[in-house]
Amino acid sequence: MIETFGIKLICSKNSCLSPVVCLVVSVSCRLCLVVSCRLCLSPVCLLSSVCLLLSVCLLSSVCLLSSVSVPSTGEVVFCSASTVLKYTQDDLSQRGVFGVLLCTNFRVSFVSDEAPTEEMGQLFKNKLYGENDIPLSCVDNIYGGSEDKRKLITGGLVKNKYPSKMIIHCKDLRVFQFSLSFSKEEDAKKIFQGIVHHCLEPKSLRCLFAFSYCENTSYPEAQRKKQTVMFDSVEDWTQDMKRTKGNCRVVSENSNFELSPKLPQYFIVPKNVSDEDLTKYQGKGLPMWCWSHHSGCALFKTASIPLVQEDNVPQTYMEKMLTAVAHNHLYSVKTEDLSDTLPTVQDILLSYNRFKQFFLIDNTTEFWMSDMKWFSSLDNCGWLDIIRQCLQKAVEVVESLEKENTNVLIMEEGGSDLCCVVSSLVQLMLDPYYRTLLGFQSLVQKEWVAGGHAFLDRSNHLHLKDKVESQSPVFLLFLECVWQLQQQHGPAFQFSETYLTVLSDSIHVPVFTTFLFNNDGHRDSLLRAESPHTQRSPLNCPTVWDWSVQFDCKAQDLFTNPLYTEKPKQDTSVRKSYRPRHLRQLSLPSSAFKTPPKKGFFKDEADNLKKILGVKRLSRWMLSPSSDSPQTSSSVREFYEAWQTKPLDYHGLLLPCLDGPSIRVWMQRYLRWIHDVQILGGGPVAMLSKVSEILGEVQELQRQLDRHGCTLTSNHKGARPRAKTAAAVIAARSSVRLSSSFPFVTSRNWSFKPAIPTSLLQSLMVTGMAGNLADREDDGGPESLV
Amino acid sequence: MEKQLFGGVAGGDSTAQPVVPNRNKPRTLATSGSKQDSVETLDSPTGSHVEWCKQLIAATISCQISSVPADTASGDCKPPRDGTKQVQTDEVPLVPGETIKAVAKDVMYICPFTGLVTGTLTSTNYKLYFISLERDTPFILDVNLGAISRLETISVQSHGENTRGMEIVCKDMRSPRFAYKEDASQPEIVEVLAKHAFPLSNDLPLFAFLYKEEFPVDGWKVYDPMAEYKRQGLPNESWTISKMNSSYEVCDTYPALVVIPTSIKDDHLKGVVAFRARHRIPVLSWIHPESQATIVRSSQPLVGPSDRRCKEDERYLQTIMDANAQSHKLTIFDARQSSVADNNKAKDGGYESESFYPNVELNFLEIPNIHVMRESLRKLKEVVYPSIDEAHWHSAVDQTHWLEYIRLLLAGAVRIADKLESGKTSVMVHCSDGWDRTAQLTSLAMLMLDSHYRTLRGFQVLLEKEWISFGHKFAARVGHGDENHANSERSPLFIQFIDCVWQMNRQFPAAFEFNELFLITILDHLYSCLFGTFLYDSEQERIAKEVQTKTVSLWSYINSQPEDFTNPFYVDYEHQVLYPLASVRHLELWTGYYVRWNPRMRPQMPVHQNLKELLFLRAELQRKVDELEREASSSRGSLSSSSEHTSSPSHSGGTPLHTIV
């Protein structure tokens, strides 16, 4: 049922001045505003608000009638085509469903002609886009196909031609295949060109959906502010430094970007850095404080200054900075140039591009073919090895902080890619606060958003030709590393695997300010410029941490890990037992220490400790330890082994095991859409649902006890009401009906056939490998056959 | 209170920590017990690794030392150990019936993970026991003699003259090496070891016949074929439980009781017996409770190059087909590669021809033979022991093809299960003799189809039935007590099967009542010769050797402390059929078994730990609520709130974990 209302407007853009038809379409409970300029096919941004006003008047009646969920406000349909066939992914039979394919300023959307089957799948519904929607910036590659061939579409050269089949690979690893051969030729051409145009052609930042979305949506600011520490004020930084007992200087001189638009709005530097030091070399070489260890040493990161041989000035500056980091020789300093020891952003991109291909599966046959080469392919693409290297580097830094108590300065060109990866991993390993959900979000705000990671360039949402080089999934790499840690030490993390997967998807939803800009200055200038009320506050856009934009409360329950153990409230006697462990590692005469009067994870250092440590002079000036890497890795090994023999404290230091079998593939993220590898009735969810059930029972029992006015006397208070869980959502009884892809895909019906490999069984290969063995009788003896 | 039983592995430790915290301990294990801080031995699992130890160390009985603090030691279970024994002595813990045969002092263990350790090496008639007191905590290495595949002398000149080296190549994926001084006054320790490691080659009895432990539960009662067939609804009008093989005269490798079609006459049967290799005629393994479709197992037909026919065999298969009214087909799965089946045909074996057997569909599952599997596991050992190549781990595992064979087996079993479940068609499975791949496939398919086999007891029945009673040649495949390590009959078929079960367990973490420790324990005692369960090749032989009266069953030990082997996540999937995914993407190398000797691969605290605490907490709360309940009802009579309590989760307290505490 399609209802149309025609309104004539004039297209003022591109000066084609042709009449624009504005259509209000209501397609099976979806309301959209179709605006298309017949001649120029261009997004009619300027008109959108006008149209919107009109449409609101027109639609209000319809809305009331059908009580539908209006798709995101500010959305404008560019073009559409009906009777498009969407193939079911899991077989070669060319079956599928017919429907309407739309391209809007937010997404490519397929609306099935069939009545939607409302099932439990709705439970984890994303409010912004559904299972058949692809946000424009989530489109990775588009292929045109005819018959058996398929060709990568690069944009530009699609005038007048369109393929019969369109394959879309998404950045969240979904694969869509559409057949255009049943649509009207003109529609098919238009939709193909429209999608290619809007997904692949360069565009300006303000064309991203966030801006039209935010103009039309208002968010109660208070709602988010109370939770995640955003690190957009002096207070946030000061508080974090206080929390870790750091002793540095908060710089607020750049709050209006007077010093440099490239420097963060607020940041922390060593005490001895003077005002004029701040702006030399555009912030390059300036050590930025990340985190302080309870022993007093701290982690800093910086963008390295390219050192020119003849020029002594940067050298002197660098030395001055290092002295500042060393806190006037109170601490020794280790520097680590990550550019030398870790893969470059280009390496990361190359490796990831190879890796992701294993999961962008078009059909069953292809899947089973690639299944044979799976393990070798994994090694060849090197993605897991890059993850291992990052984790290893983080462990090295942790060792310096925890065992040697030296200050560490990590640097790389730019200072906001691998520096962010390593520094945030170090903090996750050392500081249990960052393993809570809010703590983790604050960490991302601190290290990545305020830390100036160039999200926009790295994701290249705008498809700018000159930015192709700088594209790289660095943030995803970080999430991968976090996932590895979380796999190995599940109960230490408050957030779940699902949370990380959803976060990795959200990078490609161009609604959240978190991932749209290159740095603070960039964000500030754009949000100000785009604000409808020019003189007042900047445009108020949601951040990714406003999870209610995407998911309702029930779905958000799945973000928490039911096995998380909250830090038990310890009395002082228990806490003392922490102490000897740390002190012993300082390799100093234990008589030098007196137990400081204050208790806490980050304790005040006693003055005499400082003095003793000060004896150790700066050990490694400007020397990259990469030269002795074999030694480093064996020292890391020892460090890990020493840690491993101690009892595990989920609220203390956590180290990842880096051996071959321990670094795994993030199954949930990568395999969730592939029908053939869904384990029906199995997967981790089967376990989690059992845990949730027991937790629910424990809580119920506790309520009963409370009613009886009796408190539990045992020591199990630590386990008392943990985070609310998804108990109601995934009760154990239903777990039999869930699959390993939960919650992303829910099985439509339970009558399923098992996936049976279709590939040629490798009899050829076996005989080739084992030679005569395969032909031998099972029982070599002559009596083997009676 | 948890039992502190360790044995059979590298590394013991003196600071064993209860798995389930007792009530005096804080929840966070890390903060409890400062004792662990002193533990530094890398090669030995310590402190909170204990749960891991339990997961890893399958053993128990063999030895144990643990200086459990007196207040935590309790005697509710029957640990075969002396709880007061101090580790600081180098006394060797012995199981009942075990005697010390030789002791060598100043032996160096060349540990591939932590370097040289010097200590005392003791050989008993059951195990090799090495203990070193030179480090802060005692270092213990413990190898069951049954696990030894071969003993080799190695060159250790770097350790000085008169020094001899020995490498103990084990069947369980490790090869510890020792160096020791020659001592003319004593018998060579290698010889003593060899004598007791290979008792059958030295006219000695297997240790199982000397082992004198007594358990409260008799494991030999676990499997009663009559009861198991009755559970399946047999006999019925089409199938009968036949005693024709009661004296093992018809087929010496089959059990005394077999299930055959009711309508088959004795003289008719003779023809079938003669036509099947080793007289292993088609018999029923499992029947679908609803559709009456059956899994039938047999050996290959003796077709030969001249395409012999056997009218009786053809009619026999027709009868099997007719017993299932739902389908007019019978599917035969030949586990072999089709090329191998053809070779067999040339040598008087073969496979059923679809043209002679109407309505029969024949499929080859293309699974390679025992020699290929043996070679694959040998390669795997090279990959995992002693060190792991980090960067090329996946390709190294890939080159062993081990996981691919696992995948083939699982895929084959899924096809069988699917044929029965969705196709409602009866299935016949055979390979050449019907005791290797056939047992793997039928038991895996049964595990998928029948949730009973996924319980702790049910799985024991499955092994007793499909593997032990139907004549999987355990003695030949494992080589119990035999020094001929190069015997080509040896092959890790049973390990492969257990690996498949583990893979299923991993894909369906809540569907199995037993845990990983259970599977590892089974595999350890496959070699250990401590129990009689896996000894000998057939039921007939076991009767002749009086295994049931002269040895202890592994299930006696397991069922005496089932809580150790129970999966805390278990949810009864009832009649749900489980189809594991036979995709390499979902298969993983079982590091908990194959790489367990590498101390770096030990998880510090498994997820289970956390859940066990939770279960404990639930039990505790439940007890409290019940108590209050009782008080309230006794003082005030019936309460309005009582209805709420009946709906409380108390009913789900079925997990035996409660009993640990």
Side-chain angles (χ1 to χ4, degrees), chain A residues 86 204 229 238 690:
Chain A
K86 174 180 167 284
S204 79
V229 184
T238 319
K690 173 78 179 181

Side-chain angles (χ1 to χ4, degrees), chain B residues 396-441:
Chain B
V397 170
D398 200 24
Q399 275 154 23
T400 68
H401 297 287
W402 181 256
L403 288 176
E404 258 190 69
Y405 300 142
I406 298 279
R407 186 185 80 125
L408 266 178
L409 272 174
L410 284 172
V414 166
R415 287 175 70 181
I416 294 169
D418 181 49
K419 214 35 153 193
L420 255 83
E421 181 67 22
S422 329
K424 297 188 166 54
T425 306
S426 292
V427 167
M428 183 164 120
V429 186
H430 68 71
C431 46
S432 295
D433 295 313
W435 52 45
D436 290 318
R437 283 165 282 191
T438 303
Q440 289 178 321
L441 290 164

Side-chain angles (χ1 to χ4, degrees), chain A residues 54-325:
Chain A
L54 287 167
S55 67
V56 166
C57 308
L58 282 167
L59 288 178
S60 50
S61 54
V62 187
C63 282
L64 285 170
L65 281 174
S66 49
S67 73
V68 288
S69 59
V70 185
S72 325
T73 33
E75 187 165 1
V76 178
V77 175
F78 294 140
C79 47
S80 70
S82 51
T83 53
V84 171
L85 180 70
K86 174 180 167 284
Y87 292 108
T88 37
Q89 185 220 337
D90 45 297
D91 61 304
L92 273 175
S93 62
Q94 307 286 304
R95 281 178 308 172
V97 275
F98 282 100
V100 180
L101 190 61
L102 302 155
C103 177
T104 78
N105 57 344
F106 169 49
R107 62 186 161 182
V108 174
S109 178
F110 176 81
V111 184
S112 166
D113 290 346
E114 286 167 25
T117 45
E118 299 289 325
E119 265 189 68
M120 50 194 287
Q122 299 308 307
L123 176 147
F124 199 65
K125 198 176 169 227
N126 192 314
K127 292 193 216 162
L128 289 178
Y129 61 99
E131 57 173 349
N132 285 324
D133 297 334
I134 317 161
L136 294 184
S137 37
C138 186
V139 172
D140 196 6
N141 281 315
I142 300 176
Y143 295 89
S146 54
E147 304 298 310
D148 294 337
K149 282 176 255 170
R150 68 170 209 198
K151 203 178 136 202
L152 181 67
I153 309 287
T154 47
L157 300 161
V158 291
K159 294 259 154 61
N160 298 322
K161 275 202 299 183
Y162 71 94
S164 58
K165 192 173 172 187
M166 178 164 58
I167 304 164
I168 301 179
H169 286 182
C170 304
K171 287 180 180 164
D172 58 11
L173 303 149
R174 288 178 297 171
V175 174
F176 289 90
Q177 297 185 58
F178 300 108
S179 168
L180 303 174
S181 41
F182 305 95
S183 315
K184 271 188 258 161
E185 206 179 306
E186 194 186 343
D187 284 353
K189 194 164 123 187
K190 215 178 262 176
I191 191 78
F192 177 72
Q193 290 177 348
I195 288 174
V196 170
H197 176 86
H198 294 293
C199 294
L200 302 178
E201 294 292 315
K203 54 177 143 188
S204 79
L205 183 57
R206 59 202 69 215
C207 282
L208 285 183
F209 183 61
F211 297 97
S212 41
Y213 177 79
C214 299
E215 275 169 20
N216 297 292
T217 327
S218 60
Y219 274 89
E221 184 121 341
Q223 175 197 341
R224 107 175 62 122
K225 282 287 151 75
K226 68 171 190 263
Q227 299 186 328
T228 307
V229 184
M230 300 302 281
F231 288 91
D232 55 0
S233 65
V234 188
E235 293 77 44
D236 288 353
W237 283 99
T238 319
Q239 207 188 349
D240 199 55
M241 194 168 66
K242 270 194 195 142
R243 189 181 67 86
T244 61
K245 308 272 194 292
N247 191 13
C248 293
R249 162 188 166 198
V250 183
V251 180
S252 58
E253 282 84 348
N254 202 32
S255 63
N256 290 316
F257 306 100
E258 290 106 337
L259 296 177
S260 160
K262 297 227 162 148
L263 279 173
Q265 209 166 359
Y266 306 98
F267 53 95
I268 299 182
V269 293
K271 276 223 159 121
N272 300 22
V273 174
S274 66
D275 278 350
E276 59 262 34
D277 289 336
L278 290 177
T279 45
K280 259 189 201 165
Y281 304 104
Q282 299 89 46
K284 280 183 184 163
L286 190 64
M288 307 276 194
W289 173 88
C290 298
W291 187 77
S292 289
H293 186 252
H294 57 75
S295 66
C297 61
L299 173 66
F300 296 86
K301 63 179 176 188
T302 184
S304 49
I305 311 176
L307 292 177
V308 189
Q309 286 292 317
E310 323 70 270
D311 193 0
N312 243 348
V313 187
Q315 182 87 39
T316 338
Y317 175 74
M318 216 43 227
E319 283 182 21
K320 190 173 169 200
M321 288 301 113
L322 277 171
T323 320
V325 168

